[in-house]
Amino acid sequence: MDLRQKKTRNIAWTVAIVLAVFVLTLFFNIYTPMTVDDYYYSFNFANAERLSGIADVAQSMQRHYHTVNGRLIPHSIVQTVLMYFGKGAVANTLNSLMFIALGYLIYKIANTDKEVSPVRLLLIYLLLYTFSPAIGQTLFWFDGSVNYLWGTTAILAMLYFYNDKFFHPGKYSSPWFLLASLPLAFLAGGWSENGSSTLLMLQVLYMALYAWTYRKEQKFPLFYALSFVTSFVSWLLMLTAPANAYRRSRFPQMGKREMLSMRLNDCFKMLRQYLYPILAMLFALLILGLFITAFKNRFTNKISFVPEKNRLFVSFLFLLASMVANFVMVAAPYGPRSAFSPTVFLIVSLCTLASCFRMEKTSVLCCLLTVMLILCMGVYTADGLRSTKVYYDNYKTVEADMYQQKEAGIEDIKATVVVPSSPFTATYGLELLSPNPEQEFNVYVSKFHELHSIAASDYIETHSSVIQRLKEKVFDWMFP
């Protein structure tokens, strides 16, 4: 097979994998109905009325900035999309495209100047499916995904240009590119507290690395300086929101030492629960690389480890970014969703280190290990889709019953609530309908569906699958 045929086949396989992952992600999104905050953000925070125009979104976000949090960028997007399109085809398609973009950005940062490898790209998507914290809430729940999936994608898009500029100092010098990059810098800088804070740190480190590496050859890039300042301004606007002080005043005050101890414990809990497995793979790859370097030709001549200095720097930067994004949450309450950006940064670090390996000849052992990895993660993902579909079917049955009651003239609706058991389901661990119709969530659901009231009459417990329980037991055993 000549080089041109090989390249054509490579492109065909890449397109096939991207389409397959897109369709799979689209099904996950379709099987994820409106969840908690999707209902809240369908209303104006200023007057609790349904949104009807961009002016309402602006008024709502002004109130949101003073009473909820400073994340105006993602929540403006959430309210605008839900107002015009609801949780339907547009939201599901955008979410699926954003997941495709995230995986591709991870690949491009980790594999600068290399043609896309279909197998490596597939492994990245499967890593995201297998290790994303609270996956149903960070990838499929619309409000959650805009905050975490979209935000991390925007941050990686900004870092892609920083990384590419570092490897290719002659690129991105056009004033038109500079102007076009500033909106992205503003979006990425003000998207999320821990992700955007880590972005600023990485921008500074990339600038320092660039200045040292090219100190005698290149002028310092204006792109780096202006995009950093833009991101910093956006970050300040988010963190200085009056809502942050307002929220602190609503919770019981704890001693500083108690608070620090509790939040540090949360940081270590998230590190152990979500980052340890990827850290173990990262250090296993490093040990394997050192072993191959030390004993090449004695044990194997099919695989080589080429530790390029700049690539190792990038891997270390994203390892550091993962730890910073995790432990910066000592400043705020830390739930599983906020561990998404630390997890993605660590996957970038892992994939960058993996890009230093070269297969000089076909290795049967490597091929078998790759197939086993794809099968294990693929089976886990397929099981997640099955769990999500089961929950969705139950949800639609309950929803149909609710509308039958409404059509029958029943004003106070009684609903059976399905309690999910799989993290692939967005409502896993989140607020559910209460038996009390005056509970805030109940009120918003009834207003959304134009009901007099709604309350939970019964709860159906679902059971986690054998595969889900097996994964949890393996992780608990390996990372206690």
Side-chain angles (χ1 to χ4, degrees):
M1 184 182 293
D2 63 27
L3 189 62
R4 186 175 178 181
Q5 287 177 316
K6 188 177 179 181
K7 188 174 182 179
T8 303
R9 189 183 67 172
N10 202 52
I11 291 171
W13 272 109
T14 301
V15 170
I17 285 169
V18 167
L19 284 175
V21 172
F22 172 78
V23 170
L24 177 64
T25 310
L26 187 61
F27 274 112
F28 270 114
N29 278 277
I30 290 169
Y31 294 150
T32 302
M34 287 188 68
T35 304
V36 193
D37 286 8
D38 293 339
Y39 286 101
Y40 292 134
Y41 282 93
S42 297
F43 292 85
N44 188 330
F45 277 82
N47 55 26
E49 298 295 329
R50 283 295 292 268
L51 297 164
S52 59
I54 292 298
D56 282 352
V57 173
Q59 183 188 41
S60 179
M61 285 296 99
Q62 182 182 20
R63 178 69 176 169
H64 188 280
Y65 190 69
H66 284 83
T67 59
V68 182
N69 60 51
R71 276 179 264 145
L72 294 183
I73 293 168
H75 290 125
S76 297
I77 294 171
V78 169
Q79 290 211 304
T80 302
V81 173
L82 288 177
M83 176 180 65
Y84 285 118
F85 307 107
K87 174 63 173 75
V90 171
N92 294 335
T93 302
L94 289 174
N95 237 17
S96 303
L97 288 172
M98 203 60 69
F99 181 74
I100 294 298
L102 177 65
Y104 187 74
L105 284 167
I106 292 173
Y107 186 92
K108 292 303 290 182
I109 291 172
N111 297 274
T112 310
D113 290 339
K114 292 184 181 179
E115 285 186 17
V116 176
S117 162
V119 174
R120 292 193 182 202
L121 186 62
L122 177 60
L123 283 169
I124 288 172
Y125 287 123
L126 290 175
L127 281 170
L128 288 169
Y129 271 126
T130 306
F131 296 106
S132 289
I135 182 171
Q137 297 168 20
T138 51
L139 296 185
F140 314 129
W141 169 30
F142 189 64
D143 176 65
S145 61
V146 172
N147 275 273
Y148 301 101
L149 168 62
W150 293 35
T152 306
T153 303
I155 288 165
L156 282 194
M158 189 74 254
L159 291 172
Y160 165 77
F161 291 115
Y162 267 69
N163 186 70
D164 207 34
K165 179 71 175 175
F166 172 63
F167 280 94
H168 307 97
K171 295 178 77 172
Y172 310 125
S173 301
S174 162
W176 296 111
F177 172 81
L178 183 62
L179 286 174
S181 69
L182 296 184
L184 176 61
F186 186 84
L187 290 174
W191 207 293
S192 73
E193 289 81 0
N194 64 333
S196 297
S197 299
T198 309
L199 167 69
L200 294 177
M201 181 205 75
L202 283 171
Q203 286 174 311
V204 170
L205 291 175
Y206 265 112
M207 288 190 287
L209 200 56
Y210 185 97
W212 173 256
T213 304
Y214 301 108
R215 59 191 180 278
K216 295 179 180 178
E217 305 167 28
Q218 300 284 336
K219 292 182 179 179
F220 189 78
L222 187 59
F223 157 63
Y224 274 176
L226 287 184
S227 59
F228 170 75
V229 170
T230 305
S231 294
F232 182 73
V233 169
S234 183
W235 177 79
L236 274 182
L237 287 171
M238 175 179 62
L239 287 196
T240 56
N244 296 326
Y246 173 75
R247 290 172 71 188
R248 284 194 296 269
S249 69
R250 294 176 62 194
F251 292 98
Q253 295 299 308
M254 294 178 64
K256 289 183 179 180
R257 186 172 296 179
E258 288 178 305
M259 180 72 76
L260 180 62
S261 175
M262 181 185 74
R263 289 184 174 170
L264 266 176
N265 184 59
D266 287 341
C267 291
F268 280 107
K269 179 183 175 183
M270 296 301 160
L271 176 70
R272 186 171 57 252
Q273 191 169 353
Y274 297 114
L275 302 182
Y276 270 12
I278 309 171
L279 277 170
M281 289 190 287
L282 179 70
F283 287 115
L285 267 186
L286 183 59
I287 291 168
L288 177 63
L290 294 174
F291 179 85
I292 289 171
T293 302
F295 299 103
K296 186 169 172 60
N297 296 325
R298 185 173 174 183
F299 291 97
T300 178
N301 61 352
K302 297 180 179 179
I303 305 171
S304 60
F305 180 62
V306 186
E308 299 170 21
K309 181 181 69 174
N310 287 346
R311 210 168 289 282
L312 291 179
F313 275 146
V314 171
S315 181
F316 175 75
L317 285 184
F318 279 93
L319 170 61
L320 178 63
S322 176
M323 296 302 104
V324 169
N326 183 68
F327 284 99
V328 77
M329 291 305 295
V330 75
Y334 194 0
R337 292 193 297 273
S338 297
F340 183 73
S341 57
T343 301
V344 170
F345 291 145
L346 197 52
I347 289 174
V348 176
S349 177
L350 174 69
C351 294
T352 306
L353 182 63
S355 73
C356 296
F357 288 83
R358 308 281 190 274
M359 190 180 292
E360 296 168 6
K361 298 179 183 178
T362 302
S363 167
V364 175
L365 179 60
C366 282
C367 290
L368 285 174
L369 286 174
T370 303
V371 169
M372 283 178 62
L373 271 176
I374 290 172
L375 281 176
C376 288
M377 292 190 288
V379 167
Y380 176 70
T381 303
D383 182 66
L385 182 62
R386 184 201 60 79
S387 300
T388 307
K389 178 66 164 59
V390 168
Y391 173 82
Y392 178 76
D393 289 342
N394 286 327
Y395 172 88
K396 296 304 286 185
T397 301
V398 170
E399 186 182 56
D401 179 62
M402 177 186 74
Y403 280 113
Q404 283 177 3
Q405 292 182 58
K406 181 182 177 182
E407 289 170 6
I410 300 172
E411 292 189 342
D412 299 313
I413 306 297
K414 298 296 182 183
T416 301
V417 178
V418 183
V419 182
S421 60
S422 169
F424 280 87
T425 307
T427 48
Y428 180 73
L430 291 183
E431 184 180 11
L432 300 171
L433 281 174
S434 162
N436 178 10
E438 296 181 3
Q439 191 80 13
E440 185 180 33
F441 180 50
N442 292 49
V443 171
Y444 273 86
V445 172
S446 64
K447 286 173 67 175
F448 182 87
H449 292 289
E450 298 179 346
L451 309 171
H452 180 263
S453 73
I454 188 169
S457 61
D458 193 16
Y459 292 90
I460 300 175
E461 297 280 347
T462 58
H463 301 286
S464 58
S465 70
V466 174
I467 293 173
Q468 178 64 38
R469 292 198 298 273
L470 179 63
K471 180 200 171 190
E472 290 170 357
K473 285 183 178 180
V474 170
F475 277 28
D476 288 343
W477 174 69
M478 293 182 68
F479 312 105

